[in-house]
Amino acid sequence: MTDSEKLDLLLTKVQGMETEMKGMKDEMQGIKDEVQGMKTEMQDMKDEMQGMKTEMQDMKDEMQGMKKKLDKLSLGQLEIKKEIIMLNRKISDTYDVALDALGTSTENREWLEKGTLA
């Protein structure tokens, strides 16, 4: 084999290696682009999840506010219930006093009519 043939053989091998390296470079660029796309998608998902987290926090705060209002309503109901019980007692007492007064006035009338007042 002559020097020229040897050089041609080396040139062919080098060209083959260059072609192979070009293919690998293109493949790596494709992988890099794919990874960049995945990174962008992951950032979008992260942003969306952050938005959901913010919404959930707002809902949690709103629920806590509602719970406080419900607690106040419960306390208010207890106060109203106490007042109703007191009013019922007062009404009952007033009714008893009215009945006693009616009874007394009836007795007094009878005594006056009979003249048996002591």
Side-chain angles (χ1 to χ4, degrees):
M1 186 179 280
T2 66
D3 287 340
S4 178
E5 289 173 338
K6 287 179 185 178
L7 283 175
D8 284 342
L9 184 61
L10 278 174
L11 181 62
T12 304
K13 285 186 179 185
V14 168
Q15 286 174 339
M17 288 171 59
E18 281 180 345
T19 303
E20 216 175 299
M21 286 178 66
K22 171 75 169 124
M24 289 171 59
K25 184 179 177 184
D26 291 344
E27 196 173 323
M28 286 177 65
Q29 184 60 44
I31 291 171
K32 185 179 177 183
D33 293 343
E34 225 177 290
V35 168
Q36 183 61 38
M38 289 169 52
K39 183 179 176 183
T40 302
E41 283 182 38
M42 287 176 65
Q43 183 61 45
D44 291 345
M45 289 190 316
K46 182 179 176 185
D47 293 343
E48 189 174 339
M49 287 172 59
Q50 184 62 40
M52 291 168 65
K53 182 179 176 183
T54 301
E55 283 180 30
M56 287 176 63
Q57 184 61 44
D58 292 345
M59 288 178 5
K60 182 179 176 184
D61 293 343
E62 190 174 334
M63 286 174 62
Q64 286 176 341
M66 287 179 177
K67 184 179 183 299
K68 287 179 183 178
K69 287 179 182 179
L70 283 173
D71 289 343
K72 287 180 183 179
L73 283 174
S74 292
L75 288 175
Q77 282 181 332
L78 287 175
E79 288 298 317
I80 289 171
K81 187 175 181 179
K82 287 178 188 177
E83 289 180 21
I84 288 173
I85 290 171
M86 288 174 48
L87 283 173
N88 280 339
R89 286 183 186 156
K90 286 181 182 181
I91 290 170
S92 180
D93 291 346
T94 303
Y95 182 74
D96 290 343
V97 168
L99 282 178
D100 285 345
L102 180 63
T104 302
S105 72
T106 303
E107 288 175 5
N108 287 343
R109 190 175 320 130
E110 285 177 12
W111 289 337
L112 284 172
E113 288 173 356
K114 294 179 183 175
T116 58
L117 200 72

